[in-house]
Structures are given as C-alpha cells and as structure tokens.
Amino acid sequence: MNLETDASAFHARLEMLIGPEKPFAWAKRVGIPSGTFARIWKEKTIPTGDHLNRIADVTGVSLDWLLRGHGSMTIDIKNKSKDSQELPLDKDVPSENEYQSGSINNNSTTDARLMGRLVEKILLVYKEMGIGIAIHQATERAVKEHDRIILNSSDPDDRLTQVGEVTASLRQELRSLASSSESSKRRA
C-alpha cells in the first residue's frame, strides 16, 4: 500500500463527508482554516492530527474509518441506556471487563483526542530522528497504542500522560535500531 493510494482513498471518504455542500463552506463550518483546507483539498494531502480530530468530532465519524477506511463509518453510541450519563465521545470508554467479555466492539470506541495526539507525536518522533514514515504507518501504530491505552486507563488525563511514555519508548526503539544498523555496517 502506498501513500498516494492512501491519500486518494482518504479524499474519497472526505468527499463523501462533504456531500453536496460546497467544500470550503464545509471546511469553515468544521473549523478548518481556508488556507489549510486549500492544501488538503487541492493538493490532496492528509490533514494533521488536530484537523483529523476536528473532522471526526464534528461529523461523528470514527478516526479509523476516516484515515484507513476500516471499521464502521460512525461511532456507535446507540446502545446506551437512557439512564446513563451522556459523556463526550472522547471520554466515553467502556471498562476493561466489557472489552474482555466481548460485549463491546473495540473498534466502536475512539478517544479522538488521544488518537490525534498519538499520530502527531509518532510523526514528530520520526521526523526528529530523521526517519521517514508514511501517515498510514504512523496511524496504524497509533491505533495499536490507542487500543492498549484505552484498555489500561479510563481517565482521559492519564491517557494523555501515557502519550509521553509512548513517545519516549518510540525514541528509544528507533535509537536502538539505528545503533544496531550502524554497528552491522561497521562490521561489513
């Protein structure tokens, strides 16, 4: 899978979200600056984590669907009881027991803020280390980390703290890969 194919598929999903509305009017309603949206729309680029989060929040689509076309297009919150307290989507996380019992579909709960932060930080670490990574690869890694963090913590602030731990671990992993490849080059 290449980045160009991923960007084309992303833009097909974006066009679906915009529908008959004028693209720049839609972007304004969603809260994406016109200059930023011009790059996204005309150059067919994939938006940054913050803009992806904004699109997901305003339209109610899952980030996994928006970025990769995987899973359900929308976040399923229909099965809540009328007595349950309505929480913002990024704080509506089932307990670990619900995940383990299989009563909750793992793909239907996304902490959009956490997901955006993970994608952003993963891309940043790779850039700092001078290593290239495609957005879909960063997103795939972010999804795995997101799911692990959600299973281990229901506190939104604690989740964001864990992003720093993921970032530190990734830096260490990339440094160790770089040093092992350098030492193998020296031996040759």
Side-chain angles (χ1 to χ4, degrees), residues 165-186:
E165 296 167 10
V166 168
T167 303
S169 173
L170 179 58
R171 270 193 192 100
Q172 186 174 359
E173 179 184 324
L174 293 174
R175 281 185 188 127
S176 106
L177 284 172
S179 68
S180 69
S181 70
E182 283 178 19
S183 64
S184 66
K185 286 179 185 175
R186 287 181 191 145

PDB file of all heavy atoms in Angstrom, residues 165-186:
ATOM      1  N   GLU A 165       4.837   8.566  27.432  1.00  0.00           N
ATOM      2  CA  GLU A 165       5.534   7.294  27.617  1.00  0.00           C
ATOM      3  C   GLU A 165       5.715   6.578  26.277  1.00  0.00           C
ATOM      4  O   GLU A 165       6.768   6.005  26.003  1.00  0.00           O
ATOM      5  CB  GLU A 165       4.762   6.421  28.599  1.00  0.00           C
ATOM      6  CG  GLU A 165       4.698   7.009  29.995  1.00  0.00           C
ATOM      7  CD  GLU A 165       3.676   6.321  30.893  1.00  0.00           C
ATOM      8  OE1 GLU A 165       3.134   5.263  30.515  1.00  0.00           O
ATOM      9  OE2 GLU A 165       3.424   6.866  31.986  1.00  0.00           O
ATOM     10  N   VAL A 166       4.687   6.629  25.440  1.00  0.00           N
ATOM     11  CA  VAL A 166       4.772   6.026  24.107  1.00  0.00           C
ATOM     12  C   VAL A 166       5.861   6.723  23.305  1.00  0.00           C
ATOM     13  O   VAL A 166       6.677   6.078  22.637  1.00  0.00           O
ATOM     14  CB  VAL A 166       3.405   6.108  23.374  1.00  0.00           C
ATOM     15  CG1 VAL A 166       3.536   5.760  21.902  1.00  0.00           C
ATOM     16  CG2 VAL A 166       2.374   5.217  24.048  1.00  0.00           C
ATOM     17  N   THR A 167       5.900   8.052  23.382  1.00  0.00           N
ATOM     18  CA  THR A 167       6.886   8.838  22.649  1.00  0.00           C
ATOM     19  C   THR A 167       8.304   8.476  23.102  1.00  0.00           C
ATOM     20  O   THR A 167       9.190   8.253  22.274  1.00  0.00           O
ATOM     21  CB  THR A 167       6.626  10.341  22.869  1.00  0.00           C
ATOM     22  OG1 THR A 167       5.293  10.642  22.457  1.00  0.00           O
ATOM     23  CG2 THR A 167       7.587  11.204  22.090  1.00  0.00           C
ATOM     24  N   ALA A 168       8.519   8.408  24.409  1.00  0.00           N
ATOM     25  CA  ALA A 168       9.845   8.065  24.939  1.00  0.00           C
ATOM     26  C   ALA A 168      10.257   6.657  24.513  1.00  0.00           C
ATOM     27  O   ALA A 168      11.406   6.427  24.114  1.00  0.00           O
ATOM     28  CB  ALA A 168       9.848   8.189  26.458  1.00  0.00           C
ATOM     29  N   SER A 169       9.321   5.722  24.572  1.00  0.00           N
ATOM     30  CA  SER A 169       9.601   4.348  24.181  1.00  0.00           C
ATOM     31  C   SER A 169       9.943   4.256  22.695  1.00  0.00           C
ATOM     32  O   SER A 169      10.858   3.536  22.295  1.00  0.00           O
ATOM     33  CB  SER A 169       8.384   3.483  24.510  1.00  0.00           C
ATOM     34  OG  SER A 169       8.539   2.188  24.019  1.00  0.00           O
ATOM     35  N   LEU A 170       9.216   5.003  21.871  1.00  0.00           N
ATOM     36  CA  LEU A 170       9.471   5.000  20.431  1.00  0.00           C
ATOM     37  C   LEU A 170      10.851   5.580  20.127  1.00  0.00           C
ATOM     38  O   LEU A 170      11.599   5.030  19.307  1.00  0.00           O
ATOM     39  CB  LEU A 170       8.384   5.791  19.693  1.00  0.00           C
ATOM     40  CG  LEU A 170       8.527   5.907  18.181  1.00  0.00           C
ATOM     41  CD1 LEU A 170       8.568   4.531  17.513  1.00  0.00           C
ATOM     42  CD2 LEU A 170       7.391   6.749  17.608  1.00  0.00           C
ATOM     43  N   ARG A 171      11.213   6.672  20.798  1.00  0.00           N
ATOM     44  CA  ARG A 171      12.548   7.266  20.603  1.00  0.00           C
ATOM     45  C   ARG A 171      13.634   6.242  20.919  1.00  0.00           C
ATOM     46  O   ARG A 171      14.603   6.089  20.175  1.00  0.00           O
ATOM     47  CB  ARG A 171      12.729   8.480  21.507  1.00  0.00           C
ATOM     48  CG  ARG A 171      12.305   9.759  20.901  1.00  0.00           C
ATOM     49  CD  ARG A 171      12.778  10.975  21.704  1.00  0.00           C
ATOM     50  NE  ARG A 171      12.086  12.131  21.214  1.00  0.00           N
ATOM     51  CZ  ARG A 171      11.021  12.676  21.802  1.00  0.00           C
ATOM     52  NH1 ARG A 171      10.560  12.192  22.926  1.00  0.00           N
ATOM     53  NH2 ARG A 171      10.430  13.722  21.269  1.00  0.00           N
ATOM     54  N   GLN A 172      13.456   5.566  22.051  1.00  0.00           N
ATOM     55  CA  GLN A 172      14.441   4.566  22.472  1.00  0.00           C
ATOM     56  C   GLN A 172      14.511   3.424  21.449  1.00  0.00           C
ATOM     57  O   GLN A 172      15.600   2.977  21.081  1.00  0.00           O
ATOM     58  CB  GLN A 172      14.073   4.029  23.852  1.00  0.00           C
ATOM     59  CG  GLN A 172      15.101   3.097  24.434  1.00  0.00           C
ATOM     60  CD  GLN A 172      14.750   2.709  25.861  1.00  0.00           C
ATOM     61  OE1 GLN A 172      13.764   3.148  26.417  1.00  0.00           O
ATOM     62  NE2 GLN A 172      15.576   1.864  26.439  1.00  0.00           N
ATOM     63  N   GLU A 173      13.360   2.982  20.977  1.00  0.00           N
ATOM     64  CA  GLU A 173      13.305   1.907  19.981  1.00  0.00           C
ATOM     65  C   GLU A 173      14.029   2.314  18.693  1.00  0.00           C
ATOM     66  O   GLU A 173      14.820   1.546  18.149  1.00  0.00           O
ATOM     67  CB  GLU A 173      11.835   1.593  19.678  1.00  0.00           C
ATOM     68  CG  GLU A 173      11.596   0.529  18.647  1.00  0.00           C
ATOM     69  CD  GLU A 173      10.107   0.371  18.340  1.00  0.00           C
ATOM     70  OE1 GLU A 173       9.268   0.505  19.246  1.00  0.00           O
ATOM     71  OE2 GLU A 173       9.803   0.124  17.152  1.00  0.00           O
ATOM     72  N   LEU A 174      13.772   3.529  18.223  1.00  0.00           N
ATOM     73  CA  LEU A 174      14.406   3.993  16.989  1.00  0.00           C
ATOM     74  C   LEU A 174      15.909   4.195  17.163  1.00  0.00           C
ATOM     75  O   LEU A 174      16.688   3.901  16.258  1.00  0.00           O
ATOM     76  CB  LEU A 174      13.742   5.283  16.496  1.00  0.00           C
ATOM     77  CG  LEU A 174      12.296   5.136  16.019  1.00  0.00           C
ATOM     78  CD1 LEU A 174      11.697   6.500  15.684  1.00  0.00           C
ATOM     79  CD2 LEU A 174      12.197   4.191  14.844  1.00  0.00           C
ATOM     80  N   ARG A 175      16.326   4.689  18.340  1.00  0.00           N
ATOM     81  CA  ARG A 175      17.770   4.848  18.602  1.00  0.00           C
ATOM     82  C   ARG A 175      18.462   3.497  18.596  1.00  0.00           C
ATOM     83  O   ARG A 175      19.552   3.344  18.063  1.00  0.00           O
ATOM     84  CB  ARG A 175      17.984   5.538  19.952  1.00  0.00           C
ATOM     85  CG  ARG A 175      17.786   7.017  19.884  1.00  0.00           C
ATOM     86  CD  ARG A 175      18.121   7.699  21.202  1.00  0.00           C
ATOM     87  NE  ARG A 175      17.741   9.081  21.136  1.00  0.00           N
ATOM     88  CZ  ARG A 175      16.970   9.693  22.025  1.00  0.00           C
ATOM     89  NH1 ARG A 175      16.525   9.039  23.086  1.00  0.00           N
ATOM     90  NH2 ARG A 175      16.656  10.962  21.881  1.00  0.00           N
ATOM     91  N   SER A 176      17.823   2.501  19.222  1.00  0.00           N
ATOM     92  CA  SER A 176      18.449   1.186  19.288  1.00  0.00           C
ATOM     93  C   SER A 176      18.505   0.540  17.910  1.00  0.00           C
ATOM     94  O   SER A 176      19.488  -0.110  17.571  1.00  0.00           O
ATOM     95  CB  SER A 176      17.750   0.313  20.320  1.00  0.00           C
ATOM     96  OG  SER A 176      16.964  -0.668  19.770  1.00  0.00           O
ATOM     97  N   LEU A 177      17.484   0.764  17.070  1.00  0.00           N
ATOM     98  CA  LEU A 177      17.520   0.254  15.698  1.00  0.00           C
ATOM     99  C   LEU A 177      18.632   0.927  14.902  1.00  0.00           C
ATOM    100  O   LEU A 177      19.343   0.279  14.140  1.00  0.00           O
ATOM    101  CB  LEU A 177      16.177   0.487  15.002  1.00  0.00           C
ATOM    102  CG  LEU A 177      15.040  -0.438  15.390  1.00  0.00           C
ATOM    103  CD1 LEU A 177      13.729   0.035  14.764  1.00  0.00           C
ATOM    104  CD2 LEU A 177      15.348  -1.858  14.967  1.00  0.00           C
ATOM    105  N   ALA A 178      18.767   2.247  15.087  1.00  0.00           N
ATOM    106  CA  ALA A 178      19.801   2.998  14.377  1.00  0.00           C
ATOM    107  C   ALA A 178      21.190   2.537  14.800  1.00  0.00           C
ATOM    108  O   ALA A 178      22.070   2.345  13.962  1.00  0.00           O
ATOM    109  CB  ALA A 178      19.644   4.495  14.617  1.00  0.00           C
ATOM    110  N   SER A 179      21.391   2.338  16.104  1.00  0.00           N
ATOM    111  CA  SER A 179      22.727   1.924  16.572  1.00  0.00           C
ATOM    112  C   SER A 179      23.041   0.495  16.144  1.00  0.00           C
ATOM    113  O   SER A 179      24.176   0.191  15.814  1.00  0.00           O
ATOM    114  CB  SER A 179      22.849   2.084  18.085  1.00  0.00           C
ATOM    115  OG  SER A 179      22.012   1.171  18.744  1.00  0.00           O
ATOM    116  N   SER A 180      22.045  -0.391  16.118  1.00  0.00           N
ATOM    117  CA  SER A 180      22.313  -1.765  15.683  1.00  0.00           C
ATOM    118  C   SER A 180      22.601  -1.821  14.187  1.00  0.00           C
ATOM    119  O   SER A 180      23.425  -2.605  13.742  1.00  0.00           O
ATOM    120  CB  SER A 180      21.154  -2.696  16.044  1.00  0.00           C
ATOM    121  OG  SER A 180      20.015  -2.399  15.274  1.00  0.00           O
ATOM    122  N   SER A 181      21.946  -0.971  13.387  1.00  0.00           N
ATOM    123  CA  SER A 181      22.236  -0.963  11.948  1.00  0.00           C
ATOM    124  C   SER A 181      23.606  -0.348  11.680  1.00  0.00           C
ATOM    125  O   SER A 181      24.304  -0.768  10.770  1.00  0.00           O
ATOM    126  CB  SER A 181      21.147  -0.241  11.161  1.00  0.00           C
ATOM    127  OG  SER A 181      21.177   1.129  11.414  1.00  0.00           O
ATOM    128  N   GLU A 182      24.010   0.645  12.486  1.00  0.00           N
ATOM    129  CA  GLU A 182      25.346   1.236  12.317  1.00  0.00           C
ATOM    130  C   GLU A 182      26.434   0.234  12.686  1.00  0.00           C
ATOM    131  O   GLU A 182      27.443   0.144  12.006  1.00  0.00           O
ATOM    132  CB  GLU A 182      25.482   2.495  13.179  1.00  0.00           C
ATOM    133  CG  GLU A 182      24.778   3.699  12.610  1.00  0.00           C
ATOM    134  CD  GLU A 182      24.893   4.916  13.500  1.00  0.00           C
ATOM    135  OE1 GLU A 182      25.799   4.945  14.371  1.00  0.00           O
ATOM    136  OE2 GLU A 182      24.086   5.832  13.327  1.00  0.00           O
ATOM    137  N   SER A 183      26.229  -0.523  13.766  1.00  0.00           N
ATOM    138  CA  SER A 183      27.255  -1.486  14.175  1.00  0.00           C
ATOM    139  C   SER A 183      27.362  -2.610  13.165  1.00  0.00           C
ATOM    140  O   SER A 183      28.443  -3.125  12.922  1.00  0.00           O
ATOM    141  CB  SER A 183      26.971  -2.038  15.581  1.00  0.00           C
ATOM    142  OG  SER A 183      25.767  -2.768  15.579  1.00  0.00           O
ATOM    143  N   SER A 184      26.258  -3.006  12.520  1.00  0.00           N
ATOM    144  CA  SER A 184      26.345  -4.061  11.494  1.00  0.00           C
ATOM    145  C   SER A 184      27.025  -3.527  10.241  1.00  0.00           C
ATOM    146  O   SER A 184      27.691  -4.274   9.533  1.00  0.00           O
ATOM    147  CB  SER A 184      24.969  -4.629  11.176  1.00  0.00           C
ATOM    148  OG  SER A 184      24.166  -3.648  10.566  1.00  0.00           O
ATOM    149  N   LYS A 185      26.889  -2.223   9.954  1.00  0.00           N
ATOM    150  CA  LYS A 185      27.552  -1.639   8.793  1.00  0.00           C
ATOM    151  C   LYS A 185      29.070  -1.602   9.022  1.00  0.00           C
ATOM    152  O   LYS A 185      29.840  -1.799   8.114  1.00  0.00           O
ATOM    153  CB  LYS A 185      27.060  -0.220   8.531  1.00  0.00           C
ATOM    154  CG  LYS A 185      25.676  -0.167   7.932  1.00  0.00           C
ATOM    155  CD  LYS A 185      25.256   1.270   7.717  1.00  0.00           C
ATOM    156  CE  LYS A 185      23.829   1.360   7.232  1.00  0.00           C
ATOM    157  NZ  LYS A 185      23.367   2.748   7.142  1.00  0.00           N
ATOM    158  N   ARG A 186      29.478  -1.336  10.269  1.00  0.00           N
ATOM    159  CA  ARG A 186      30.908  -1.223  10.571  1.00  0.00           C
ATOM    160  C   ARG A 186      31.602  -2.577  10.390  1.00  0.00           C
ATOM    161  O   ARG A 186      32.757  -2.633  10.020  1.00  0.00           O
ATOM    162  CB  ARG A 186      31.114  -0.720  11.999  1.00  0.00           C
ATOM    163  CG  ARG A 186      30.778   0.729  12.147  1.00  0.00           C
ATOM    164  CD  ARG A 186      31.005   1.199  13.567  1.00  0.00           C
ATOM    165  NE  ARG A 186      30.439   2.526  13.737  1.00  0.00           N
ATOM    166  CZ  ARG A 186      29.868   2.965  14.818  1.00  0.00           C
ATOM    167  NH1 ARG A 186      29.782   2.190  15.875  1.00  0.00           N
ATOM    168  NH2 ARG A 186      29.360   4.181  14.866  1.00  0.00           N
TER     169      ARG A 186
END
